[in-house]
Amino acid sequence: MSKKSEILNCYKENGICLYEYPEINGIKQYIQIRGADKKAPLLLFLHGGPGGSMAGLCHVMQNEWEKKFTVVNWDQRNTCKTLLANKTKVSEIAKTGALSDYINDIDAIIKYLHTVYTFEKIILVGFSWGSVIGCEYAKKHPENVSHYIGIGQNVNYIKGLEYSCDWLKKEAESGSSDMQIIDTLLKQISKKPEMNAELMKSIQSLSFIGSKYIAKNARPFPVKELLKSPFLKFKEKKAMLKSDFNLLVGTYKTLINYDFTDNLKFEVPVLFVNGDEDFACPVELLKQCFEDIKAPEKKMVTIPSATHLCFYDKPDEFFRILSDFVS
């Protein structure tokens, strides 16, 4: 058996390794289900981005998860495998992306999962952008969710950018080109902005500056592992490395206008995990509203010396926090 086949089909007998393209709301959407024990709790991971598929790196970032949970990764609208499976519908799909579109997708995915797996409720994990659609689904359909976990919970994207800009201005050198980039972005978001090439360029520049001054303990992104990933074909790897915001116009509109604080009532236990060096979704915004969150059980954990990808920076600590909470 080749190494590629060993990774793709590593769980046998009591486990599951399933890769499917069910039709979800008129679109072929990629679903990946992996776990060492079919009796383990089902965990649906909602990737960030938008457009940041996790399917190609599950063996790098979720390996331990698959030993205790059955982990489901889903490539959302116009993302990676789902994008390339719907080539003739790309422009049409780009115009979608309202919260209702994603909530309906998650609902249909859960119904599909019931056809291949035995479970009552799922553990719903939303990362970054995925935390927007994840928490809203958990609020709307608690009958399908046992726990909601928000990683790098997105509270308000524009306020988050403003906070991070102010944070970085305290760290950056006065009069430097970095300071000029920060001030340019602050001007762009001072009025209600729309996502365009100019704003995206400024946000990408801010990401570089944040890595330079704040996210000093970030693990290097596993580009080599992505390029060698047995889960992705060449075109899918290319799609992952070259993200085009034009494919997700409707989704970015949803992200920019979203405010977590509009509804803080959950009917399921909720856990929020952040890194203290997360400038993409600064935990300070969550701290400001945490006391107002209503839930049967709620917990917020900040992992020291960890960034936006806190579950990758500190995998053992993150996995212990996750496991203890759902246990």
Side-chain angles (χ1 to χ4, degrees):
M1 184 182 292
S2 68
K3 187 174 181 180
K4 176 179 178 180
S5 183
E6 285 179 3
I7 295 174
L8 287 171
N9 304 293
C10 58
Y11 303 120
K12 302 186 182 300
E13 299 177 2
N14 297 326
I16 184 170
C17 293
L18 185 64
Y19 313 98
E20 299 277 359
Y21 286 88
E23 185 166 301
I24 304 294
N25 295 325
I27 307 169
K28 287 183 180 179
Q29 303 205 37
Y30 176 70
I31 308 288
Q32 173 182 289
I33 310 171
R34 289 169 53 87
D37 185 356
K38 286 182 182 179
K39 295 180 181 179
L42 193 68
L43 183 155
L44 174 57
F45 183 85
L46 306 175
H47 66 67
S53 169
M54 180 62 75
L57 288 172
C58 63
H59 60 309
V60 177
M61 296 190 177
Q62 299 172 334
N63 183 47
E64 288 300 313
W65 304 15
E66 294 174 357
K67 295 175 183 177
K68 183 163 183 174
F69 305 100
T70 295
V71 181
V72 180
N73 281 296
W74 155 50
D75 280 1
Q76 300 165 21
R77 294 166 172 255
N78 271 2
T79 296
C80 201
K81 286 178 174 286
T82 295
L83 167 68
L84 295 176
N86 299 277
K87 292 180 181 179
T88 62
K89 299 180 179 179
V90 169
S91 296
E92 177 187 343
I93 295 169
K95 297 174 185 176
T96 69
L99 268 176
S100 58
D101 292 325
Y102 283 103
I103 286 174
N104 289 339
D105 283 352
I106 296 170
D107 210 39
I109 286 165
I110 291 173
K111 289 175 183 175
Y112 161 75
L113 291 173
H114 276 292
T115 69
V116 296
Y117 198 83
T118 301
F119 69 100
E120 291 185 14
K121 295 186 177 185
I122 61 165
I123 300 164
L124 193 60
V125 179
F127 168 57
S128 193
W129 148 253
S131 72
V132 172
I133 57 178
C135 74
E136 293 307 315
Y137 184 86
K139 293 172 191 174
K140 191 175 181 65
H141 292 289
E143 71 278 6
N144 293 329
V145 179
S146 65
H147 303 76
Y148 169 69
I149 290 90
I151 308 172
Q153 179 67 46
N154 194 304
V155 175
N156 183 300
Y157 188 68
I158 298 302
K159 288 182 180 179
L161 285 175
E162 291 173 342
Y163 182 88
S164 292
C165 284
D166 290 339
W167 187 5
L168 281 164
K169 286 183 79 170
K170 295 174 184 176
E171 303 293 332
E173 296 177 12
S174 179
S176 67
S177 58
D178 293 334
M179 193 70 79
Q180 293 172 10
I181 291 170
I182 295 168
D183 286 335
T184 296
L185 179 56
L186 280 170
K187 288 178 182 178
Q188 288 173 303
I189 60 177
S190 60
K191 297 181 179 179
K192 200 168 185 179
E194 290 186 6
M195 185 58 73
N196 54 35
E198 186 179 7
L199 180 58
M200 178 61 76
K201 184 178 179 180
S202 294
I203 292 170
Q204 289 171 343
S205 296
L206 187 76
S207 180
F208 175 79
I209 296 170
S211 298
K212 180 178 175 181
Y213 292 104
I214 294 175
K216 296 178 180 178
N217 290 289
R219 288 178 70 185
F221 187 80
V223 177
K224 289 183 179 179
E225 286 83 353
L226 179 65
L227 292 174
K228 295 187 295 183
S229 175
F231 298 93
L232 304 178
K233 297 176 182 177
F234 175 75
K235 288 184 178 180
E236 293 163 348
K237 294 172 185 177
K238 189 176 179 181
M240 274 298 299
L241 292 171
K242 189 179 180 181
S243 180
D244 183 356
F245 78 91
N246 289 307
L247 299 173
L248 296 158
V249 173
T251 302
Y252 273 110
K253 184 177 180 180
T254 297
L255 174 60
I256 283 179
N257 290 286
Y258 176 73
D259 193 332
F260 174 75
T261 63
D262 285 344
N263 176 8
L264 294 173
K265 185 177 180 181
F266 291 84
E267 294 180 33
V268 300
V270 295
L271 167 68
F272 302 99
V273 188
N274 289 73
D276 66 344
E277 297 177 9
D278 184 350
F279 63 87
C281 292
V283 69
E284 189 59 36
L285 270 66
L286 184 63
K287 287 179 180 179
Q288 291 170 9
C289 65
F290 183 75
E291 290 302 318
D292 296 324
I293 294 173
K294 308 297 182 186
E297 180 182 359
K298 65 179 181 179
K299 188 174 183 179
M300 178 172 60
V301 181
T302 302
I303 300 177
S305 300
T307 67
H308 194 46
L309 276 168
C310 60
F311 61 94
Y312 179 58
D313 291 332
K314 296 292 183 74
D316 294 340
E317 188 169 352
F318 173 83
F319 189 65
R320 177 186 57 76
I321 293 165
L322 170 64
S323 299
D324 288 350
F325 187 75
V326 300
S327 294

